[in-house]
Amino acid sequence: VSNTAAIYFDFNAPIITNTVVNTLKMPVSTQEAAAASIPLTLMPNPNRGQGQLRYQLERREQVRIRLFDVRGRLVEVLQDFTEQGPGLHQLPLDIRAKAAGVYFLHLETANGQRGIVRCLYMD
């Protein structure tokens, strides 16, 4: 999509801006959506820096859980491919040492399953 604007001041001739070209990408497959197959629950959310992350595994998996800031930068690795059995799992979350704000918890298994939950940490 290309776009140019004309800016008018009073009765003067318009000032024409540079042409900007934006490229929009549409997903061509559902593979990425299918990869987010492990639902995560964070309680409470919003929180004051402490909570419980809950998720369920269908079979024995190696699980990595990472905390990212709102800009997508890795803040902390909470678990690094720890082997866990099937069933409901709870991970205590304590980020009180971090700045208040929005964070994202990413869960990833060794075989490519994923889950993401947003965490709102309020002071």
Side-chain angles (χ1 to χ4, degrees):
V1 177
S2 61
N3 200 356
T4 303
I7 303 170
Y8 292 86
F9 293 101
D10 299 323
F11 295 105
N12 297 323
I15 298 172
I16 308 300
T17 64
N18 296 334
T19 300
V20 175
V21 177
N22 291 305
T23 304
L24 306 175
K25 287 186 169 184
M26 298 294 292
V28 293
S29 74
T30 59
Q31 182 178 8
E32 193 170 310
S37 57
I38 299 177
L40 303 178
T41 305
L42 179 62
M43 294 174 48
N45 195 16
N47 60 58
R48 300 237 181 252
Q50 290 183 295
Q52 289 282 331
L53 177 66
R54 295 180 184 165
Y55 55 94
Q56 179 135 1
L57 299 176
E58 298 297 321
R59 59 184 176 273
R60 182 169 293 282
E61 298 278 2
Q62 292 205 3
V63 176
R64 176 168 63 181
I65 300 173
R66 297 178 293 171
L67 181 69
F68 290 88
D69 68 11
V70 74
R71 293 184 177 193
R73 294 178 297 200
L74 178 64
V75 174
E76 184 176 348
V77 176
L78 302 172
Q79 285 186 6
D80 197 16
F81 288 115
T82 304
E83 189 163 326
Q84 298 177 358
L88 180 65
H89 295 271
Q90 295 185 27
L91 176 71
L93 177 69
D94 188 350
I95 58 172
R96 290 177 293 177
K98 315 283 187 252
V102 177
Y103 293 91
F104 293 91
L105 290 156
H106 288 228
L107 181 144
E108 176 185 3
T109 67
N111 72 3
Q113 291 183 305
R114 297 173 188 260
I116 299 173
V117 67
R118 182 180 58 144
C119 171
L120 180 56
Y121 167 30
M122 300 169 35
D123 246 343

